[in-house]
C-alpha cells in the first residue's frame, strides 16, 4: 500500500543520510553495496530494490540503470536527491 511505501522511502532517506557521504552539491551518495550490507537496512526493508525503485520514481534518489544486484552492482552510487533537513 501507498502509506507503507512512503514510510519505506522516508526510512531509506534516513539510512542513506547515515551511511552516505555529503557531496559538494548538497546531495548525499552511498554505494549500493554499502546500502545493501547495512544491518539496520536489512532488518527494515523487505525488498531494498523495490524501495529504491519507488524512491527513484518519486525523485528522491537516483542511480544508474533499472535494477541493482548485490555483487554485480556493489559500486553503483545511489544518490539522495532530497536530503533530510
Amino acid at each position: 500500500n501507498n502509506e507503507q511505501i512512503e514510510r519505506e522511502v522516508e526510512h531509506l532517506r534516513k539510512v542513506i543520510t547515515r551511511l552516505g557521504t555529503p557531496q559538494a552539491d548538497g546531495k548525499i551518495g552511498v554505494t549500493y553495496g554499502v546500502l545493501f550490507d547495512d544491518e539496520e537496512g536489512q532488518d527494515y526493508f523487505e525488498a531494498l530494490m523495490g524501495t529504491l525503485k519507488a524512491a527513484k520514481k518519486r525523485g528522491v534518489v537516483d542511480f544508474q540503470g533499472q535494477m541493482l544486484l548485490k555483487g554485480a552492482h556493489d559500486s553503483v552510487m545511489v544518490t539522495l536527491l532530497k536530503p533530510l533537513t
Side-chain angles (χ1 to χ4, degrees), residues 1-12 44:
N1 84 29
N2 212 27
E3 218 173 86
Q4 176 69 20
I5 293 167
E6 291 303 325
R7 270 198 306 274
E8 288 193 8
V9 168
E10 198 53 36
H11 192 77
L12 179 66
Y44 187 85

Side-chain angles (χ1 to χ4, degrees), residues 7-76:
R7 270 198 306 274
E8 288 193 8
V9 168
E10 198 53 36
H11 192 77
L12 179 66
R13 290 175 69 204
K14 291 175 186 162
V15 172
I16 293 174
T17 300
R18 179 172 52 82
L19 297 173
T21 306
Q23 299 171 344
D25 58 7
K27 297 171 186 163
I28 298 172
V30 64
T31 62
Y32 180 67
V34 168
L35 193 55
F36 188 93
D37 289 336
D38 178 58
E39 211 170 285
E40 183 192 318
Q42 285 178 355
D43 290 346
Y44 187 85
F45 300 111
E46 268 181 55
L48 177 59
M49 195 58 238
T51 303
L52 283 169
K53 284 172 100 168
K56 188 175 185 178
K57 263 188 203 160
R58 288 164 171 73
V60 174
V61 300
D62 194 26
F63 54 87
Q64 207 66 25
Q66 293 301 309
M67 194 75 170
L68 300 177
L69 301 172
K70 176 66 182 139
H73 299 109
D74 282 2
S75 62
V76 172

